[in-house]
Amino acid sequence: MSSDLMCAFSGACLLAGGFAAISWGFLRSLLIHLQICWQVVPGRKFFWGSLLTGWGLPIIFGSIALARTGVSYRFGDTCHINHDKALEDYWGPLLAFAAISTILQFATLGYCIRVYIRAMFKDDGISQNSSGLPSHNGSVKTVTAGQAYRRVKKAVGVQWRGIVVVVIIIVNVVFLAEVFISMDNTEQAVLQNFGKAAPWLSCIVINGGDKNMCLEKVKGLATPEPEVMAALILMSLNGIWTLLFLGRASMIPAWIELIRNRFARRKHDFVSVDAKRFSTNGRPYEIITSPPQSTYTPKVPEAAVTSPSLDGDTIAALSPPKQNDYFTRDAKYVSPAMSFSTPRPPSSGRCQGREWDPVNTYARPWSPTTGKSGMI
């Protein structure tokens, strides 16, 4: 890559693209796992964190791989990462994120299967509470098997395309990593034991350097070319799979509208310079013409269209009969003699002739002189 700029550029794009596919697959797996298994709705923090992680990790690890390992023409006209320190700089982190994404995918799949089995064997949750609301236990997290099944079914119905894309990308990247790691190990084994390459070297010398005449001697010395090309082709198809599963026709007019609004001229309202100079609030200086206030006066009807004058007897004959007014007149309230609804002052005559008899009340007698109770 130090002698060919095109090799360095293509190798950098290949390294960053491979790691970007895994990083975005990991974020997608994490999003689906949080929504289905933990009922977490990610917000703007997760959105900006995903953008930073999804594009930051490929840049960081791609730069480290280029600086420490480098790229070169490994096979044909394709530049790829070298063997030296490639496992710890690039393949190790790549396979680590792929493994985490795979674990999250299988955990989500296992949770969906568990919820489905519970809903199949516990029909009481579906028949008793079919509204999808939390049960009467008072906790939002306490849901029945039927409620969990309906929620998981709805989430999977929305996210199944993303799940398929993540699984395809993980399989492709893992296959690519396995092919290149196997190729590096094979080359290192040949370099450590030149006896394995002796038949191929002798064939090259005999045929005057024509490698096409010695292709059958290469078996066991290098990874087959069809296997390597299949890995690269599968890796390049990740973008097409993403477009097929996640693309929408409505995205095209949306992007056109976004770009058009970015570059279109915006019309600004005219604001007087004096208004900005004398006051921070320009509203008092705006010229607003309000409509004139209405001074409408109702027109007096003419004599030709007015009703004829009526005398008192005619008005009395035409008016409805007068009824007794039971709701507007005041009625005088007479308090009953034995009513105790209002407090009354105590009278001395009402308590005359009444004494306290402890026998009738079964209470102990009390002497006012001694202040003690005695037995009867």
Side-chain angles (χ1 to χ4, degrees):
M1 70 176 186
S2 57
S3 59
D4 192 349
L5 181 61
M6 199 64 187
C7 175
F9 180 75
S10 60
C13 290
L14 185 60
L15 296 180
F19 214 103
I22 284 296
S23 62
W24 282 107
F26 162 73
L27 292 172
R28 188 77 181 184
S29 302
L30 180 61
L31 173 65
I32 297 173
H33 183 76
L34 291 176
Q35 288 182 339
I36 294 179
C37 299
W38 301 100
Q39 307 179 29
V40 176
V41 180
R44 296 189 62 85
K45 292 182 179 180
F46 186 86
F47 173 75
W48 292 110
S50 300
L51 289 179
L52 183 61
T53 305
W55 298 118
L57 291 179
I59 295 175
I60 293 174
F61 286 100
S63 302
I64 293 175
L66 286 175
R68 289 171 53 87
T69 306
V71 295
S72 60
Y73 289 104
R74 300 293 302 277
F75 48 90
D77 297 334
T78 305
C79 279
H80 207 271
I81 189 171
N82 296 324
H83 174 73
D84 187 23
K85 300 179 181 179
L87 185 61
E88 57 267 24
D89 293 341
Y90 187 76
W91 297 118
L94 186 74
L95 293 177
F97 279 99
I100 296 174
S101 303
T102 306
I103 293 173
L104 290 176
Q105 286 290 338
F106 279 102
T108 306
L109 181 62
Y111 178 78
C112 295
I113 295 175
R114 174 175 171 270
V115 169
Y116 177 76
I117 294 176
R118 286 184 57 194
M120 184 171 58
F121 287 99
K122 292 183 179 181
D123 296 332
D124 54 343
I126 300 178
S127 60
Q128 293 178 3
N129 190 4
S130 59
S131 62
L133 298 176
S135 60
H136 63 276
N137 295 334
S139 175
V140 177
K141 295 183 179 180
T142 304
V143 294
T144 62
Q147 296 167 4
Y149 171 72
R150 285 187 294 272
R151 178 177 55 79
V152 171
K153 182 180 179 181
K154 183 181 298 183
V156 172
V158 174
Q159 302 289 348
W160 72 268
R161 297 180 180 86
I163 297 174
V164 174
V165 169
V166 170
V167 172
I168 292 175
I169 291 176
I170 291 175
V171 171
N172 292 344
V173 173
V174 170
F175 178 64
L176 178 69
E178 189 273 333
V179 167
F180 278 93
I181 291 176
S182 175
M183 184 174 64
D184 292 339
N185 295 333
T186 304
E187 292 180 359
Q188 291 300 316
V190 173
L191 292 176
Q192 294 175 2
N193 187 5
F194 283 100
K196 295 182 179 180
W200 179 74
L201 293 174
S202 301
C203 181
I204 290 292
V205 173
I206 294 172
N207 291 282
D210 189 3
K211 62 179 181 179
N212 295 324
M213 300 298 295
C214 305
L215 293 179
E216 67 276 0
K217 305 291 184 180
V218 186
K219 294 181 179 180
L221 301 179
T223 304
E225 185 179 359
E227 186 177 348
V228 177
M229 294 305 298
L232 293 178
I233 291 174
L234 289 177
M235 188 69 183
S236 63
L237 291 177
N238 288 334
I240 298 177
W241 290 118
T242 304
L243 179 63
L244 290 177
F245 282 99
L246 300 180
R248 296 289 185 274
S250 59
M251 294 181 179
I252 299 176
W255 277 104
I256 295 175
E257 185 69 20
L258 178 62
I259 297 174
R260 184 182 300 173
N261 293 336
R262 287 289 182 180
F263 294 98
R265 292 184 176 180
R266 297 181 180 179
K267 296 181 180 180
H268 300 280
D269 295 336
F270 173 76
V271 181
S272 175
V273 178
D274 296 334
K276 289 185 177 181
R277 182 175 60 182
F278 291 107
S279 176
T280 57
N281 185 12
R283 296 187 63 183
Y285 297 92
E286 295 178 359
I287 302 176
I288 302 177
T289 57
S290 59
Q293 297 182 356
S294 176
T295 57
Y296 174 75
T297 304
K299 187 177 180 181
V300 180
E302 299 178 358
V305 297
T306 55
S307 301
S309 57
L310 300 176
D311 53 0
D313 298 337
T314 306
I315 294 176
L318 295 176
S319 60
K322 187 176 180 180
Q323 300 178 355
N324 295 328
D325 192 359
Y326 298 101
F327 303 100
T328 58
R329 65 178 184 176
D330 296 333
K332 186 178 180 181
Y333 178 74
V334 179
S335 179
M338 299 299 296
S339 175
F340 300 95
S341 58
T342 57
R344 293 183 178 182
S347 58
S348 59
R350 295 176 58 185
C351 297
Q352 294 179 358
R354 296 183 181 180
E355 296 180 356
W356 180 261
D357 189 0
V359 178
N360 296 333
T361 58
Y362 300 96
R364 294 180 178 181
W366 181 79
S367 176
T369 58
T370 60
K372 299 181 179 180
S373 59
M375 299 296 295
I376 299 178

